[in-house]
Amino acid sequence: MNRVLIITYYWPPSGGSGVQRWLKMSKYLPENGWQPVVYTADGAEYPVEDLSLEKDVAPEAEILRRKIVEPYSFYKKFLGIKKDEKIKAGFINEGKKKSSWKENISVWLRGNLFIPDARCWWIRPSVRFLKKYLESNPVDAIISTGPPHSMHLIAKELHKKFNIPWIADFRDPWTDIDFYNDLRLTKLADKKHHRLEKSVLDSANAIVTVGHSCAEGLRKICGRDINVITNGYDFDINQTESDVKQTEKFTLSHIGIIGANRNPIVFWEAVSELVRENKDFANDLDIRLIGQIDQSVVDLIKTNNIENYVEIIPYIPHSEVIDKQKESQVLLLFINNTPNSKSVLTGKLFEYMASGRPILSIGPSDGDTAAILYDTKTGINVDFDDKEMMKSELLSLYNKYLDNELTTSYKDSVEKFSRRNLSIEYVKLLNSL
């Protein structure tokens, strides 16, 4: 069996979206002739933990862990955060109206001193550790997955030393990521980020990313072909929906992080107007937000006087997420309202599609998400500011709910996004190297 070294920061006990792609992809590599050798962090500061994901680690996988030192102990002490409190992902602000001057300084330090990210201190010790390991335990290929993009820099050094074929896998962009401009970068730091990014894109034998718009952005930087292998789902799509009883109310569920730039401002206004205009809609409405929620979202819900219709549920184990999707009447998908919004393709989209529940997405009408929803006929996308269309689609979905006609049945178009099928695409790329 061939061996592939997978360099990833996110690995169980990490929960959240960052761990899913390579935990699931590596699960199916052995049945296609590749043994995963996973190098990951020991003692990492994960925003959320999910022990239920341990069951998805391939029995054939060899797991290598090395202690990581992250700057969060200083960060917490500086901001007065308790030692056992988790650092929120993606600039999530829970409970405060606005950032303090200390937080602004911390963001500046993060962007300008820790390049490409807060795991940069782990690069050199990881390279030393893995060079020693590979001398007596050779592998046939290397895959690095980012963010954090420090993982790519580890792989680049190993590729340079051993000339092992290397795939750089971008789950998200680097300098085109939605919060890049929030890092308050100096010109020197910005130049360094771009230089490191291009060095990875130029050095790797192959580049992979999750969507076509992101691929086009990377292509403009390096001028070479970029492979697209999307995220996916990993459960039995053929299970009948009767396995999970749906809610009696008209339940709209969003599962995952909602940061300030993902806050669907006009959507809350549309819901508020419908609640006032249609008493039956108001009586049946139940909105569930499952996951980390920015304070700006809570504030807007209150401003629009719809807090009685919204339930905020903290993070739940991924093993429970599928049932929450299937029991909902409609699944909400909010796209980041940022300059790169067309390329945003969240991992939850594919699990949403496989759940058999209709999707209402709020995002750019010409984005990757809108295109996939259209092609698979699993939902509808409404542009960020189109309030009238939002109201119209919500009422249409509500009327179908009343008539017991809320479902999707396009399994043939969704099955190609199963993690098992996607792993076959990755193996084809590995074999070609």
Side-chain angles (χ1 to χ4, degrees):
M1 185 178 287
N2 293 319
R3 285 160 49 87
V4 55
L5 174 63
I6 300 168
I7 302 174
T8 177
Y9 173 77
Y10 293 105
W11 193 258
S14 172
S17 59
V19 70
Q20 296 293 327
R21 181 171 174 84
W22 278 100
L23 173 64
K24 302 295 189 177
M25 196 75 76
S26 64
K27 177 180 175 180
Y28 296 109
L29 290 180
E31 65 187 44
N32 292 288
W34 285 82
Q35 179 196 11
V37 180
V38 179
Y39 176 69
T40 191
D42 181 20
E45 180 76 31
Y46 296 129
V48 293
E49 294 186 356
D50 187 347
L51 298 179
S52 73
L53 295 176
E54 293 280 0
K55 70 181 187 305
D56 287 313
V57 177
E60 300 87 349
E62 180 181 350
I63 311 300
L64 308 174
R65 294 185 185 271
R66 194 187 187 286
K67 189 71 177 177
I68 188 170
V69 176
E70 300 183 85
Y72 289 123
S73 57
F74 167 78
Y75 177 84
K76 289 179 178 181
K77 187 174 182 180
F78 182 66
L79 294 179
I81 298 174
K82 296 178 181 178
K83 286 185 178 181
D84 59 350
E85 187 174 339
K86 296 291 185 183
I87 301 296
K88 305 303 180 186
F91 292 92
I92 291 291
N93 175 13
E94 293 181 325
K96 299 187 293 296
K97 294 294 183 182
K98 60 181 180 179
S99 300
S100 67
W101 65 270
K102 287 186 176 182
E103 288 174 318
N104 292 331
I105 291 175
S106 298
V107 170
W108 187 93
L109 291 172
R110 178 257 184 262
N112 293 281
L113 298 186
F114 301 103
I115 299 174
D117 45 64
R119 286 88 197 182
C120 59
W121 291 349
W122 201 49
I123 297 173
R124 287 186 179 180
S126 293
V127 170
R128 289 196 298 269
F129 175 87
L130 289 171
K131 279 183 177 179
K132 185 175 180 180
Y133 172 83
L134 290 172
E135 285 173 355
S136 54
N137 301 273
V139 298
D140 301 283
I142 298 172
I143 297 173
S144 57
T145 178
H149 300 297
S150 289
M151 305 304 105
H152 298 313
L153 300 183
I154 296 171
K156 187 178 77 166
E157 291 303 311
L158 299 175
H159 171 68
K160 182 180 178 181
K161 168 70 175 177
F162 296 99
N163 198 31
I164 303 170
W166 164 37
I167 300 173
D169 183 84
F170 285 79
R171 302 188 319 277
D172 284 307
W174 188 328
T175 57
D176 195 34
I177 199 164
D178 49 19
F179 59 77
Y180 185 76
N181 291 331
D182 296 327
L183 295 175
R184 299 179 171 87
L185 299 175
T186 63
K187 289 183 178 180
L188 184 63
D190 178 60
K191 185 177 180 179
K192 185 174 182 179
H193 273 285
H194 281 86
R195 176 174 58 81
L196 290 173
E197 177 184 38
K198 192 170 190 308
S199 74
V200 168
L201 294 172
D202 289 343
S203 301
N205 295 92
I207 310 294
V208 178
T209 192
V210 298
H212 292 284
S213 293
C214 186
E216 182 57 30
L218 295 174
R219 188 180 297 113
K220 288 178 180 178
I221 297 171
C222 61
R224 58 186 293 193
D225 289 338
I226 309 295
N227 301 276
V228 174
I229 301 178
T230 68
N231 286 311
Y233 67 91
D234 188 37
F235 56 88
D236 186 359
I237 195 173
N238 294 310
Q239 286 182 338
T240 62
E241 293 182 12
S242 60
D243 291 341
V244 178
K245 185 178 179 181
Q246 289 173 353
T247 59
E248 293 185 3
K249 301 201 77 173
F250 182 52
T251 304
L252 314 178
S253 296
H254 181 281
I255 299 172
I257 295 171
I258 309 180
N261 60 20
R262 192 175 285 178
N263 188 3
I265 298 171
V266 178
F267 175 79
W268 300 128
E269 296 173 0
V271 171
S272 179
E273 291 181 13
L274 283 175
V275 164
R276 294 195 304 271
E277 296 166 0
N278 190 318
K279 289 185 179 180
D280 291 335
F281 178 89
N283 289 334
D284 289 330
L285 181 63
D286 176 31
I287 298 177
R288 294 178 180 177
L289 306 180
I290 302 173
Q292 295 180 4
I293 309 299
D294 192 86
Q295 182 62 34
S296 63
V297 180
V298 177
D299 292 343
L300 261 183
I301 290 170
K302 291 180 178 178
T303 298
N304 286 284
N305 298 312
I306 54 174
E307 61 266 35
N308 292 335
Y309 305 96
V310 179
E311 180 182 8
I312 297 176
I313 303 171
Y315 179 85
I316 62 175
H318 190 261
S319 57
E320 300 175 19
V321 164
I322 306 304
D323 285 352
K324 289 295 183 184
Q325 290 172 356
K326 288 189 173 184
E327 73 180 23
S328 302
Q329 302 293 342
V330 176
L331 295 172
L332 298 172
L333 186 63
F334 302 145
I335 305 299
N336 302 27
N337 196 351
T338 52
N340 71 330
S341 62
K342 289 198 296 184
S343 67
V344 174
L345 202 57
T346 63
K348 73 170 73 68
L349 167 64
F350 304 96
E351 291 190 346
Y352 274 16
M353 292 193 302
S355 72
R357 308 310 304 145
I359 300 166
L360 176 59
S361 168
I362 307 299
S365 57
D366 58 348
D368 287 358
T369 294
I372 288 179
L373 289 175
Y374 178 81
D375 290 342
T376 58
K377 298 180 173 61
T378 51
I380 186 72
N381 183 86
V382 182
D383 206 83
F384 293 114
D385 299 318
D386 196 342
K387 185 192 296 184
E388 291 308 311
M389 187 174 178
M390 289 180 201
K391 292 173 68 175
S392 175
E393 291 299 335
L394 282 168
L395 283 177
S396 175
L397 291 165
Y398 176 62
N399 289 328
K400 289 179 181 178
Y401 152 79
L402 294 176
D403 295 333
N404 198 28
E405 295 178 352
L406 266 183
T407 187
T408 60
S409 57
Y410 299 96
K411 293 181 180 178
D412 290 344
S413 63
V414 173
E415 284 181 333
K416 64 182 178 181
F417 297 110
S418 74
R419 296 286 187 180
R420 175 174 265 119
N421 289 333
L422 292 167
S423 70
I424 294 173
E425 295 302 309
Y426 232 106
V427 166
K428 289 178 182 177
L429 181 57
L430 282 168
N431 290 339
S432 74
L433 299 180

